Amino acid sequence: MNQPYRLTLLPGDGIGPEIMAIAVDVLKVIGKQFKLDFIFQEALIGGAAIEATGQPLPEETLTMARNSDAVLLAAIGGYKWDNLPRQQRPETGLLAIREGLGLFANLRPATVFPQLVDASSLKREVVEGVDIMVVRELTGGIYFGQPKGIFETETGEKRGVNTMAYRESEIDRIAKVAFEIARKRRHQLCSVDKANVLDVSQLWRDRVVEMSANYPDVELSHLYVDNAAMQLVRAPKQFDTIVTGNLFGDILSDEASMLTGSIGMLPSASLGADGPGLFEPVHGSAPDIAGQDKANPLAQVLSAAMMLRYGLNQPEAADKIEQAVAQVLENGDRTGDIFSFGTRLVGCRQMGDILLQILES
Ligand code: NAD
């Protein structure tokens, strides 16, 4: 056995505990098969943490997360906490852990599984084979730049201001992550900006070009964001890895993910400079189906695969999980969110059991 990996598990709220249980079972089997020793430690976040401690991110949780090799999160939130003041809401816990771990790179894959190709709202021939990774800068750009706020002008009229700003070092570190990821994929990186209009984008482009000298094996291209948005729905197969700033990435990552047509299948990762990454499904806590064994656990399981690939550098173990997920779909087993005529409806737990059988066969 190698050095044990210390994993912090944050099941959170709603369907969180149901889907996390499946991911943990999968990791246990994978651990045995690949001789990976996992130490699982569970902590509170979101509504569950509010109930127990009054805080959406207790200090204890952040400390545990910081001292681990990776953090696997399910989802937070629910009707019960919707009317609390912002500082005490579950979502605040999520923002706080991202900030507390210094996670500046958000990875959002959009992979169209052949078996779910008809779940997309786009034509089969457009989306078949799509496999994109959007790398979004997460802690800079217009969401954080100063000055920001609503100010009163001399005439008494109000003026809303946000500032899109990036330092060279912020661009360099996200570009580095993106080049490294492109290297683990098909060696193509498309940087998306608005350099024809925005100075901040010109600096972005200059730095990305400069950085590309270190990655001669990665083919770099550039697109303006408006064109990128069009190309994503016109011919998405042209993309491998995309890197972009916070605002453009927010929009493009959602656009790309919808090429797949199914929210219950979408994992994500957030990485920092060093220290543990955070791996979580894109979807929320789905309070409408919580506790009913109806949740699709596959986004959570695929998040665990991302954790192995990008957080623990265990690509073979990640491959095995991803292949098992593809096999489940191939067998025709579906939770309600991805069910279609001619497939077999299964619950969350049953989906997990089928996955385990495939992994162990
Ligand atoms: P949601 O993603 O929870 O649900 C949207 C719809 O998709 C619902 O109909 C839900 O049943 C379905 N769905 C989501 N995940 C599913 C899965 N794994 N299997 C089957 N169906 C699934 O978004 P929402 O309803 O807007 O938000 C619900 C709560 O989740 C809110 O409190 C919100 O703040 C929170 N939220 C949390 C996160 C997160 O933890 N990262 C993200 C988004 C929303």
Side-chain angles (χ1 to χ4, degrees), residues 33-114:
Q33 293 178 344
F34 288 83
K35 301 204 173 1
L36 306 173
D37 191 7
F38 296 124
I39 299 172
F40 297 105
Q41 36 185 24
E42 200 171 299
L44 293 168
I45 192 169
I50 294 169
E51 294 300 300
T53 69
Q55 297 298 323
L57 181 68
E59 197 52 46
E60 206 184 325
T61 298
L62 185 56
T63 305
M64 187 190 282
R66 279 192 177 130
N67 292 328
S68 56
D69 294 298
V71 181
L72 188 62
L73 170 74
I76 53 89
Y79 312 129
K80 188 172 178 187
W81 307 286
D82 277 351
N83 296 320
L84 288 174
R86 181 161 299 281
Q87 270 317 308
Q88 290 160 31
R89 299 227 346 219
E91 292 76 5
T92 304
L94 199 54
L95 295 178
I97 195 164
R98 288 176 183 154
E99 193 188 337
L101 295 176
L103 305 173
F104 64 84
N106 186 224
L107 278 51
R108 288 270 300 266
T111 311
V112 175
F113 287 90

XYZ file of all heavy atoms in Angstrom, residues 33-114:
629
model
N -8.684 -2.376 -5.241
C -8.185 -2.843 -6.543
C -6.875 -2.167 -6.945
O -6.034 -2.769 -7.592
C -9.249 -2.602 -7.619
C -10.468 -3.489 -7.389
C -11.564 -3.240 -8.412
O -11.556 -2.235 -9.108
N -12.515 -4.146 -8.479
N -6.714 -0.903 -6.572
C -5.509 -0.170 -6.994
C -4.510 0.018 -5.851
O -3.585 0.806 -5.950
C -5.910 1.188 -7.597
C -6.545 1.059 -8.951
C -7.895 0.771 -9.081
C -5.793 1.190 -10.110
C -8.489 0.633 -10.332
C -6.374 1.057 -11.361
C -7.729 0.776 -11.468
N -4.767 -0.694 -4.754
C -3.895 -0.608 -3.577
C -3.727 0.840 -3.097
O -2.605 1.332 -2.870
C -2.526 -1.232 -3.862
C -2.608 -2.695 -4.273
C -1.340 -3.411 -3.978
C -1.364 -4.902 -4.195
N -2.577 -5.519 -4.689
N -4.852 1.526 -3.010
C -4.858 2.901 -2.493
C -5.523 2.859 -1.127
O -6.626 2.316 -0.990
C -5.643 3.837 -3.416
C -5.220 3.860 -4.884
C -6.192 4.696 -5.711
C -3.809 4.407 -5.017
N -4.857 3.402 -0.152
C -5.388 3.382 1.206
C -6.073 4.723 1.487
O -5.417 5.766 1.459
C -4.195 3.147 2.161
C -4.664 2.855 3.565
O -5.886 2.712 3.749
O -3.799 2.783 4.458
N -7.387 4.702 1.697
C -8.114 5.946 1.966
C -8.497 6.030 3.437
O -9.038 5.077 3.998
C -9.408 6.012 1.145
C -9.190 6.048 -0.344
C -9.788 5.094 -1.166
C -8.408 7.030 -0.933
C -9.600 5.121 -2.542
C -8.215 7.067 -2.303
C -8.814 6.106 -3.110
N -8.246 7.184 4.037
C -8.798 7.451 5.372
C -9.949 8.434 5.176
O -9.734 9.564 4.723
C -7.733 8.064 6.303
C -6.562 7.094 6.462
C -8.322 8.429 7.645
C -5.370 7.679 7.200
N -11.175 7.984 5.444
C -12.347 8.837 5.245
C -12.674 9.562 6.547
O -12.796 8.949 7.592
C -13.562 7.988 4.860
C -13.391 7.260 3.560
C -13.131 5.886 3.549
C -13.499 7.911 2.349
C -12.979 5.204 2.352
C -13.350 7.238 1.147
C -13.085 5.877 1.146
N -12.810 10.877 6.454
C -13.238 11.635 7.636
C -14.370 12.565 7.213
O -14.259 13.293 6.247
C -12.068 12.410 8.238
C -11.090 12.953 7.207
C -9.875 13.603 7.805
O -9.502 13.305 8.933
N -9.276 14.508 7.060
N -15.472 12.496 7.969
C -16.670 13.230 7.552
C -16.832 14.499 8.378
O -16.501 14.526 9.561
C -17.881 12.316 7.754
C -19.066 12.748 6.940
C -20.187 11.711 6.991
O -19.966 10.559 6.571
O -21.281 12.078 7.448
N -17.314 15.558 7.744
C -17.531 16.808 8.486
C -18.811 17.485 8.003
O -19.398 17.095 6.988
C -16.330 17.737 8.299
N -19.214 18.492 8.753
C -20.488 19.177 8.487
C -20.287 20.429 7.638
O -19.324 21.168 7.817
C -21.124 19.596 9.813
C -21.589 18.471 10.732
C -21.929 19.031 12.116
C -22.790 17.745 10.128
N -21.238 20.647 6.747
C -21.280 21.896 5.978
C -22.736 22.172 5.614
O -23.566 21.254 5.601
C -20.397 21.810 4.703
C -20.204 23.197 4.065
C -20.973 20.825 3.694
C -19.150 23.262 2.976
N -23.030 23.437 5.316
C -24.367 23.795 4.834
C -25.414 23.731 5.930
O -25.148 24.004 7.105
N -26.625 23.327 5.525
C -27.743 23.280 6.472
C -27.462 22.341 7.636
O -27.793 22.642 8.790
N -26.846 21.204 7.346
C -26.551 20.231 8.407
C -25.653 20.874 9.469
O -25.825 20.645 10.679
C -25.860 19.009 7.812
N -24.711 21.697 9.018
C -23.805 22.368 9.957
C -24.540 23.474 10.723
O -24.293 23.684 11.918
C -22.612 22.954 9.203
N -25.454 24.153 10.040
C -26.230 25.206 10.707
C -27.039 24.590 11.856
O -27.089 25.125 12.966
C -27.171 25.912 9.697
C -26.348 26.670 8.659
C -28.145 26.843 10.407
C -27.141 27.193 7.477
N -27.646 23.450 11.585
C -28.451 22.780 12.610
C -27.595 22.421 13.833
O -28.007 22.581 14.967
C -29.075 21.485 12.061
C -30.089 21.709 10.970
C -31.270 22.568 11.413
O -31.974 22.165 12.348
O -31.469 23.655 10.826
N -26.398 21.927 13.564
C -25.559 21.420 14.664
C -24.775 22.520 15.361
O -24.535 22.443 16.572
C -24.598 20.363 14.113
N -24.353 23.558 14.614
C -23.426 24.530 15.213
C -23.855 25.982 15.049
O -23.216 26.872 15.599
C -22.028 24.413 14.549
O -22.135 24.886 13.189
C -21.506 22.985 14.538
N -24.864 26.239 14.224
C -25.267 27.624 13.947
C -24.471 28.264 12.823
O -24.770 29.370 12.397
N -23.444 27.566 12.334
C -22.578 28.113 11.274
C -22.614 27.222 10.033
O -22.538 26.005 10.159
C -21.114 28.141 11.750
C -20.829 29.027 12.923
C -21.114 30.487 12.616
O -20.859 30.935 11.498
N -21.678 31.202 13.583
N -22.673 27.809 8.812
C -22.674 26.947 7.621
C -21.319 26.297 7.325
O -21.258 25.295 6.634
C -23.074 27.893 6.492
C -22.773 29.262 6.990
C -22.879 29.232 8.478
N -20.232 26.900 7.840
C -18.914 26.257 7.704
C -18.176 26.353 9.039
O -17.426 27.307 9.295
C -18.070 26.928 6.608
C -16.691 26.275 6.421
C -16.809 24.872 5.849
C -15.789 27.118 5.532
N -18.367 25.369 9.903
C -17.673 25.407 11.194
C -16.157 25.384 10.988
O -15.668 24.758 10.044
C -18.131 24.128 11.900
C -19.345 23.676 11.146
C -19.221 24.182 9.754
N -15.434 26.060 11.864
C -13.971 26.120 11.807
C -13.367 24.715 11.724
O -12.413 24.468 10.984
C -13.466 26.862 13.061
C -12.037 27.358 12.985
C -11.713 28.201 11.751
O -12.507 29.107 11.423
O -10.661 27.922 11.111
N -13.972 23.815 12.496
C -13.496 22.429 12.545
C -13.503 21.787 11.135
O -12.586 21.053 10.767
C -14.487 21.676 13.425
C -13.973 20.469 14.123
C -15.148 19.803 14.867
O -16.048 20.511 15.375
O -15.141 18.562 14.888
N -14.542 22.090 10.364
C -14.653 21.520 9.010
C -13.541 22.055 8.118
O -12.882 21.298 7.392
C -16.035 21.865 8.390
O -17.043 21.285 9.200
C -16.151 21.354 6.962
N -13.317 23.366 8.200
C -12.285 23.970 7.351
C -10.904 23.430 7.725
O -10.083 23.117 6.850
C -12.331 25.502 7.472
C -11.387 26.262 6.554
C -11.619 25.901 5.087
C -11.546 27.774 6.744
N -10.665 23.290 9.019
C -9.366 22.767 9.466
C -9.174 21.343 8.962
O -8.107 20.987 8.433
C -9.289 22.795 11.007
O -9.560 24.121 11.420
C -7.937 22.364 11.515
N -10.222 20.540 9.096
C -10.123 19.148 8.638
C -9.860 19.113 7.125
O -9.021 18.357 6.634
C -11.411 18.394 8.958
C -11.319 16.917 8.664
S -12.922 16.100 8.779
C -13.109 15.937 10.528
N -10.584 19.969 6.388
C -10.426 20.001 4.929
C -9.000 20.402 4.566
O -8.371 19.784 3.697
C -11.433 20.973 4.317
N -8.489 21.423 5.241
C -7.126 21.906 4.935
C -6.080 20.831 5.181
O -5.069 20.780 4.508
C -6.802 23.113 5.816
C -7.397 24.401 5.289
C -6.799 25.582 6.041
N -7.298 26.835 5.521
C -7.804 27.805 6.264
N -7.869 27.682 7.573
N -8.227 28.919 5.703
N -6.343 19.994 6.182
C -5.362 18.970 6.541
C -5.575 17.664 5.797
O -5.084 16.624 6.219
C -5.409 18.713 8.051
C -4.907 19.920 8.807
O -4.034 20.634 8.316
N -5.472 20.188 9.965
N -6.339 17.696 4.729
C -6.574 16.451 4.003
C -5.937 16.522 2.606
O -5.450 17.572 2.184
C -8.078 16.159 3.919
O -8.748 17.245 3.342
N -5.964 15.398 1.909
C -5.388 15.360 0.559
C -6.389 15.790 -0.500
O -6.009 16.206 -1.590
C -4.881 13.942 0.258
C -3.722 13.581 1.155
O -2.691 14.261 1.082
O -3.850 12.641 1.967
N -7.673 15.625 -0.184
C -8.724 16.060 -1.117
C -10.038 16.145 -0.350
O -10.209 15.498 0.685
C -8.865 15.072 -2.273
N -10.941 16.957 -0.885
C -12.247 17.135 -0.249
C -13.319 16.735 -1.255
O -13.341 17.243 -2.381
C -12.457 18.605 0.185
C -13.804 18.768 0.878
C -11.317 19.072 1.093
N -14.184 15.835 -0.838
C -15.304 15.413 -1.690
C -16.589 15.951 -1.072
O -16.928 15.612 0.070
C -15.333 13.884 -1.779
C -16.315 13.277 -2.774
C -16.012 13.704 -4.210
C -16.302 11.745 -2.678
N -17.254 16.810 -1.839
C -18.478 17.463 -1.341
C -19.662 16.954 -2.153
O -19.523 16.690 -3.349
C -18.323 18.979 -1.513
C -19.545 19.863 -1.287
C -19.883 19.975 0.194
C -19.317 21.257 -1.857
N -20.820 16.819 -1.496
C -22.031 16.435 -2.247
C -22.791 17.715 -2.605
O -22.534 18.311 -3.638
C -22.869 15.451 -1.459
N -23.696 18.169 -1.762
C -24.445 19.393 -2.089
C -24.996 19.994 -0.807
O -25.171 19.293 0.194
C -25.588 19.072 -3.035
N -25.262 21.271 -0.858
C -25.810 21.946 0.327
C -27.095 22.690 -0.040
O -27.373 22.923 -1.207
C -24.788 22.935 0.930
C -24.270 23.912 -0.147
C -23.601 22.224 1.559
C -25.024 25.121 -0.325
N -27.854 23.029 0.994
C -29.024 23.887 0.801
C -30.345 23.157 0.950
O -30.411 21.930 0.884
N -31.380 23.939 1.168
C -32.720 23.371 1.308
C -33.704 24.447 1.731
O -33.300 25.512 2.210
N -35.000 24.147 1.557
C -36.056 25.138 1.831
C -35.934 25.707 3.244
O -36.163 26.883 3.477
C -37.442 24.505 1.695
C -37.635 23.697 0.426
C -38.124 22.378 0.469
C -37.349 24.251 -0.820
C -38.309 21.637 -0.693
C -37.534 23.514 -1.989
C -38.001 22.207 -1.916
O -38.175 21.482 -3.063
N -35.588 24.844 4.175
C -35.598 25.205 5.589
C -34.725 26.414 5.908
O -34.999 27.163 6.831
C -35.112 23.987 6.375
C -35.225 24.119 7.860
C -34.899 22.816 8.544
C -34.968 23.019 10.044
N -34.501 21.847 10.761
N -33.643 26.560 5.137
C -32.675 27.622 5.462
C -32.731 28.790 4.485
O -31.898 29.687 4.535
C -31.253 27.019 5.471
C -31.171 25.826 6.359
C -31.165 25.829 7.723
C -31.124 24.457 5.959
N -31.121 24.537 8.194
C -31.084 23.680 7.135
C -31.118 23.799 4.722
C -31.042 22.284 7.108
C -31.079 22.409 4.694
C -31.039 21.672 5.869
N -33.724 28.755 3.592
C -33.788 29.763 2.525
C -33.973 31.188 3.037
O -33.562 32.143 2.377
C -34.921 29.443 1.534
C -34.470 28.428 0.486
O -33.265 28.132 0.450
O -35.326 27.934 -0.264
N -34.614 31.327 4.204
C -34.933 32.685 4.672
C -33.998 33.215 5.754
O -34.246 34.260 6.336
C -36.392 32.745 5.144
C -37.328 32.475 3.969
O -37.080 32.943 2.850
N -38.359 31.674 4.201
N -32.920 32.495 6.005
C -31.943 32.980 6.993
C -31.169 34.150 6.393
O -31.058 34.277 5.173
C -30.953 31.857 7.335
C -31.485 30.694 8.174
C -30.425 29.605 8.290
C -31.902 31.174 9.561
N -30.596 35.019 7.254
C -29.736 36.075 6.724
C -28.563 35.469 5.938
O -28.132 34.351 6.244
C -29.212 36.791 7.977
C -29.994 36.273 9.113
C -30.702 35.030 8.702
N -28.054 36.212 4.942
C -27.060 35.673 4.009
C -25.877 34.982 4.698
O -25.444 33.912 4.306
C -26.550 36.804 3.104
C -25.536 36.355 2.082
C -25.388 37.311 0.929
N -26.609 37.489 0.185
C -27.067 36.625 -0.731
N -26.384 35.544 -1.008
N -28.194 36.843 -1.364
N -25.368 35.611 5.774
C -24.179 35.063 6.439
C -24.416 33.687 7.038
O -23.501 32.925 7.276
C -23.699 36.030 7.537
C -22.689 37.055 7.068
C -21.611 36.467 6.150
O -20.962 35.485 6.479
N -21.445 37.050 4.954
N -25.694 33.392 7.309
C -25.996 32.098 7.951
C -26.590 31.092 6.978
O -27.074 30.050 7.382
C -26.976 32.318 9.098
C -26.372 33.042 10.272
C -27.450 33.655 11.156
O -28.542 33.142 11.264
N -27.126 34.789 11.744
N -26.578 31.417 5.698
C -27.202 30.504 4.730
C -26.218 29.422 4.304
O -25.009 29.627 4.306
C -27.686 31.291 3.501
C -28.703 32.304 3.899
C -29.936 32.402 3.098
N -30.001 31.754 1.821
C -30.588 32.303 0.779
N -31.069 33.524 0.858
N -30.709 31.643 -0.344
N -26.734 28.247 3.924
C -25.851 27.147 3.509
C -24.875 27.547 2.408
O -23.704 27.155 2.439
C -26.842 26.095 2.992
C -28.128 26.392 3.679
C -28.161 27.865 3.911
N -25.334 28.343 1.429
C -24.491 28.742 0.293
C -23.245 29.494 0.758
O -22.189 29.424 0.124
C -25.275 29.636 -0.677
C -26.400 28.944 -1.424
C -27.652 28.690 -0.588
O -27.715 29.137 0.590
O -28.569 28.027 -1.098
N -23.376 30.226 1.869
C -22.236 30.963 2.413
C -21.132 29.983 2.822
O -19.945 30.268 2.683
C -22.685 31.822 3.610
O -23.738 32.655 3.148
C -21.570 32.673 4.172
N -21.535 28.810 3.298
C -20.565 27.777 3.676
C -19.769 27.306 2.470
O -18.553 27.088 2.547
N -20.458 27.206 1.353
C -19.802 26.748 0.125
C -18.776 27.775 -0.366
O -17.634 27.434 -0.692
C -20.890 26.552 -0.934
C -20.597 25.690 -2.128
C -20.105 24.324 -1.699
C -21.858 25.549 -2.985
N -19.189 29.041 -0.378
C -18.261 30.093 -0.804
C -17.075 30.157 0.154
O -15.930 30.321 -0.267
C -18.976 31.452 -0.828
C -20.113 31.571 -1.858
C -20.782 32.934 -1.766
C -19.595 31.339 -3.275
N -17.362 29.977 1.446
C -16.302 30.095 2.452
C -15.278 28.967 2.329
O -14.080 29.197 2.495
C -16.908 30.118 3.852
N -15.726 27.772 2.015
C -14.734 26.681 1.913
C -13.899 26.854 0.650
O -12.689 26.603 0.660
C -15.376 25.271 2.001
C -14.270 24.244 2.257
C -16.183 24.905 0.768
C -14.732 22.918 2.735
N -14.519 27.346 -0.434
C -13.735 27.591 -1.653
C -12.662 28.645 -1.374
O -11.510 28.496 -1.766
C -14.654 28.058 -2.787
C -15.522 26.936 -3.332
C -16.479 27.452 -4.383
N -17.360 26.401 -4.870
C -18.564 26.608 -5.382
N -19.046 27.827 -5.480
N -19.302 25.606 -5.807
N -13.071 29.685 -0.674
C -12.123 30.755 -0.350
C -11.069 30.240 0.630
O -9.871 30.480 0.454
C -12.890 31.937 0.257
C -12.063 33.182 0.327
C -12.762 34.288 1.108
O -14.000 34.265 1.227
O -12.037 35.162 1.617
N -11.532 29.514 1.644
C -10.624 29.023 2.694
C -9.558 28.085 2.149
O -8.472 27.975 2.713
N -9.876 27.393 1.069
C -8.893 26.478 0.482
C -8.124 27.130 -0.668
O -7.289 26.491 -1.306
C -9.591 25.193 -0.008
C -10.232 24.309 1.075
C -10.959 23.127 0.443
C -9.204 23.800 2.083
N -8.429 28.393 -0.944
C -7.702 29.119 -2.007
C -7.894 28.504 -3.378
O -6.954 28.384 -4.164
N -9.124 28.117 -3.693
C -9.377 27.395 -4.947
C -9.615 28.394 -6.073
O -10.648 29.043 -6.122
C -10.598 26.490 -4.770
C -10.490 25.528 -3.580
C -11.804 24.794 -3.365
C -9.352 24.539 -3.771
N -8.669 28.533 -6.958
C -8.775 29.559 -8.004
C -9.081 28.969 -9.381
O -9.308 29.706 -10.332
C -7.498 30.394 -8.075
C -6.282 29.618 -8.479
C -6.011 29.395 -9.824
C -5.419 29.097 -7.534
C -4.906 28.661 -10.217
C -4.308 28.359 -7.912
C -4.051 28.133 -9.255
N -9.052 27.649 -9.503
C -9.294 27.031 -10.812
C -10.493 26.095 -10.718
O -10.495 25.169 -9.918
C -8.063 26.236 -11.258
N -11.494 26.377 -11.525
C -12.693 25.547 -11.524
C -12.731 24.731 -12.819
O -12.663 25.299 -13.915
C -13.924 26.466 -11.415
C -15.217 25.694 -11.271
O -16.207 26.007 -11.914
N -15.230 24.701 -10.422
N -12.812 23.425 -12.679
C -12.794 22.527 -13.841
C -14.186 21.959 -14.040
O -14.721 21.286 -13.154
C -11.846 21.348 -13.574
C -10.357 21.531 -13.781
C -9.806 22.741 -13.081
C -9.614 20.282 -13.337
N -14.739 22.228 -15.207
C -16.094 21.730 -15.485
C -16.083 20.926 -16.781
O -16.091 21.486 -17.867
C -17.055 22.909 -15.615
C -17.377 23.619 -14.314
C -18.586 23.022 -13.629
N -19.763 23.103 -14.463
C -20.659 24.086 -14.420
N -20.528 25.059 -13.561
N -21.700 24.090 -15.227
N -16.048 19.600 -16.684
C -16.099 18.794 -17.898
C -17.515 18.754 -18.471
O -18.488 18.778 -17.725
C -15.681 17.399 -17.426
C -15.862 17.390 -15.956
C -15.950 18.792 -15.466
N -17.611 18.694 -19.765
C -18.890 18.445 -20.429
C -18.659 17.265 -21.368
O -18.073 17.418 -22.436
C -19.335 19.670 -21.205
N -19.065 16.106 -20.912
C -18.843 14.882 -21.675
C -20.191 14.312 -22.070
O -21.040 14.101 -21.197
C -18.100 13.830 -20.809
O -16.977 14.469 -20.216
C -17.660 12.634 -21.615
N -20.376 14.101 -23.339
C -21.637 13.511 -23.791
C -21.443 11.993 -23.858
O -20.686 11.493 -24.691
C -22.058 14.077 -25.159
C -23.303 13.366 -25.674
C -22.306 15.579 -25.053
N -22.108 11.291 -22.942
C -22.057 9.827 -22.997
C -22.871 9.364 -24.211
O -23.992 9.841 -24.416
C -22.632 9.229 -21.711
C -21.729 9.380 -20.530
C -21.816 10.495 -19.708
C -20.772 8.414 -20.241
C -20.972 10.646 -18.618
C -19.924 8.556 -19.158
C -20.025 9.667 -18.348
N -22.331 8.426 -25.001
C -23.057 8.009 -26.210
C -24.470 7.526 -25.896
O -25.402 7.766 -26.656
C -22.197 6.865 -26.768
C -20.990 6.749 -25.921
C -21.032 7.767 -24.839
